[in-house]
């Protein structure tokens, strides 16, 4: 009993130091020295991604008629993404708590801790613990490009919606850091949690992943809408929230993404669910 009581605080201390107090994390700053922090890098990477997708499709269409055997690569890739997402979720959560505790004396008269998560005070700069995890989250959007190439090599359909989804999310995450936008903490925690659940489920029930992914995309969208409404209330009733111009761009981008997803994947999955329920009800009615 004495060992457990003594080791628990040490574990908590090590976790907090590793994800919130380490000098690399605590002293992080988004500037030209950070890899991938320039507009040139963003536009070049996006252009290279689009070109590579169409080039790979063309090559396979010309020289290969069957899917390439990738073996355990997709499973290893999904497991790596799962670990990274869980790490970012835990890191961002602990870093947010540490940042609130350390800076609360500055803004505690104007907002609560929960309100700070949604609304950064005016003049906030992209530096410190929270923005370090936001930066890692931004980098994972480039890692997720690999999903597209795995799907192409596996002869799975890769359409406009899939590519558009990846591109929008990269631009959104870049603008979070570039303009120190409010609401990004909620966005990181929600996105990593939703996708970690979907990724975990894929290992147990791969066939249900498309439907589950569609449902959680819808949940993520409505959580961000609710957070945006609360943030707007804070912006107009308090001293203002930082990065509102970036928020307007991201709100339009997410709305466009939702409409595109709804007209393709989401509507399809929910129609399929409705038809299945109707068939089940008809079967039960015949049995009665």
């Amino acid at each position: 009993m004495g060992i457990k009581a003594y080791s628990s605080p040490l574990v908590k201390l090590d976790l907090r130091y590793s994800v919130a107090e380490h000098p690399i994390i605590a002293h992080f700053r988004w500037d030209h020295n950070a890899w991938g922090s320039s507009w040139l890098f963003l536009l070049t990477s996006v252009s290279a991604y689009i070109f590579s997708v169409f080039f790979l499709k063309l090559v396979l269409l010309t020289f290969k008629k069957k899917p390439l055997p990738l073996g355990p690569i997709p499973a290893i890739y999904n497991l790596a993404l799962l670990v990274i997402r869980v790490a970012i979720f835990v890191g961002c959560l602990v870093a947010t708590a540490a940042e609130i505790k350390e800076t609360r004396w500055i803004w505690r008269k104007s907002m609560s801790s929960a309100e700070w998560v949604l609304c950064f005070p005016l003049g906030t700069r992209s530096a410190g613990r929270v923005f370090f995890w936001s930066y890692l989250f931004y980098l994972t959007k480039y890692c997720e490009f690999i999903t597209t190439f795995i799907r192409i090599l596996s002869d799975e359909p890769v359409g406009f919606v899939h590519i558009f989804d990846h591109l929008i999310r990269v631009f959104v995450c870049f603008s979070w850091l570039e303009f120190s936008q409010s609401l990004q903490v909620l966005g990181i925690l929600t996105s990593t949690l939703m996708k970690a659940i979907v990724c975990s489920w894929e290992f147990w029930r791969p066939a249900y992943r498309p439907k589950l992914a569609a449902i959680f995309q819808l949940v993520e969208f409505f959580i961000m809408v609710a957070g945006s409404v609360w943030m707007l209330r804070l912006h107009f009733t308090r001293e203002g929230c930082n990065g509102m111009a970036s928020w307007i761009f991201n709100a339009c981008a997410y709305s466009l993404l939702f409409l595109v997803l709804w007209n393709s994947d989401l509507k399809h999955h929910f129609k399929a669910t409705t038809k299945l329920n109707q068939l089940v009800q008809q079967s039960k009615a015949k049995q009665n």
Side-chain angles (χ1 to χ4, degrees), residues 257-284:
L257 177 60
F258 175 76
L259 290 175
V260 172
L261 289 171
W262 178 258
N263 287 324
S264 56
D265 295 338
L266 295 175
K267 187 186 292 186
H268 169 74
H269 289 300
F270 284 107
K271 280 185 177 180
T273 303
T274 303
K275 288 181 180 179
L276 180 61
N277 291 334
Q278 290 175 352
L279 290 174
V280 171
Q281 291 176 1
Q282 290 175 2
S283 177
K284 289 181 178 179

Side-chain angles (χ1 to χ4, degrees), residues 18 26 71 78 84 102 110 126 139 167 182-183 234 241 258 272:
S18 300
N78 288 331
I84 291 171
E102 186 174 294
S110 59
S126 298
L139 294 182
L167 296 180
S182 300
L183 204 67
L234 295 173
C241 299
F258 175 76

Side-chain angles (χ1 to χ4, degrees), residues 56 60 64 66-78 146-156 158:
L56 183 59
L60 292 179
K64 195 73 177 178
K66 295 181 180 180
L68 291 175
L70 298 178
I73 293 177
I76 295 173
Y77 168 73
N78 288 331
I146 300 174
T147 305
T148 306
F149 302 109
I150 290 178
R151 292 183 63 171
I152 293 174
L153 294 173
S154 302
D155 201 24
E156 296 181 21
V158 175

Side-chain angles (χ1 to χ4, degrees), residues 18-275:
S18 300
V19 303
E21 303 298 342
H22 193 281
I24 294 177
I25 298 174
H27 301 148
F28 170 79
R29 182 176 297 276
W30 171 262
D31 54 24
H32 66 278
N33 293 319
W35 189 79
S37 61
S38 68
W39 284 97
L40 178 61
F41 178 89
L42 174 67
L43 297 176
T44 303
S45 300
V46 165
S47 301
Y49 167 68
I50 296 173
F51 173 80
S52 300
V53 168
F54 286 103
F55 180 75
L56 183 59
K57 276 189 169 186
L58 180 61
V59 169
L60 292 179
L61 187 63
T62 306
F63 299 103
K64 195 73 177 178
K65 301 299 181 182
K66 295 181 180 180
L68 291 175
L70 298 178
I73 293 177
I76 295 173
Y77 168 73
N78 288 331
L79 180 61
L81 277 185
L82 174 61
V83 172
I84 291 171
R85 286 163 179 165
V86 171
I88 291 177
F89 177 84
V90 173
C92 185
L93 194 63
V94 176
T96 300
E99 197 72 25
I100 288 173
K101 184 178 180 180
E102 186 174 294
T103 62
R104 183 165 46 195
W105 64 274
I106 301 175
W107 42 262
R108 64 182 177 181
K109 293 183 179 180
S110 59
M111 63 177 67
S112 65
S113 299
E115 291 172 342
W116 181 88
V117 171
L118 300 176
C119 176
F120 290 154
L122 294 176
T124 299
R125 295 184 178 182
S126 298
R129 306 171 180 88
V130 172
F131 289 99
F132 171 83
W133 291 105
S134 180
Y135 174 62
L136 286 191
F137 183 72
Y138 160 67
L139 294 182
T140 62
K141 299 301 112 179
Y142 293 105
C143 296
E144 290 174 6
F145 284 171
I146 300 174
T147 305
T148 306
F149 302 109
I150 290 178
R151 292 183 63 171
I152 293 174
L153 294 173
S154 302
D155 201 24
E156 296 181 21
V158 175
F160 168 77
V161 176
H162 175 88
I163 298 173
F164 184 72
D165 185 15
H166 281 297
L167 296 180
I168 285 293
R169 293 181 187 277
V170 170
F171 277 100
V172 166
C173 294
F174 180 86
S175 66
W176 284 353
L177 290 158
E178 185 70 11
F179 302 103
S180 307
Q181 186 201 308
S182 300
L183 204 67
Q184 62 179 281
V185 174
L186 179 64
I188 295 169
L189 294 176
T190 302
S191 180
T192 50
L193 180 61
M194 297 294 109
K195 290 190 175 183
I197 294 173
V198 173
C199 204
S200 302
W201 190 264
E202 185 176 10
F203 286 103
W204 301 101
R205 297 288 188 273
Y208 292 95
R209 187 187 186 281
K211 180 181 176 181
L212 193 66
I215 293 173
F216 277 102
Q217 278 181 323
L218 192 62
V219 172
E220 180 184 351
F221 177 79
F222 283 116
I223 289 175
M224 293 304 294
V225 168
S228 295
V229 172
W230 193 359
M231 186 204 65
L232 285 174
R233 172 183 168 274
L234 295 173
H235 178 70
F236 290 110
T237 58
R238 303 294 173 87
E239 297 177 356
C241 299
N242 203 66
M244 288 304 295
S246 174
W247 174 84
I248 293 173
F249 166 78
N250 290 338
C252 294
Y254 266 119
S255 299
L256 181 59
L257 177 60
F258 175 76
L259 290 175
V260 172
L261 289 171
W262 178 258
N263 287 324
S264 56
D265 295 338
L266 295 175
K267 187 186 292 186
H268 169 74
H269 289 300
F270 284 107
K271 280 185 177 180
T273 303
T274 303
K275 288 181 180 179

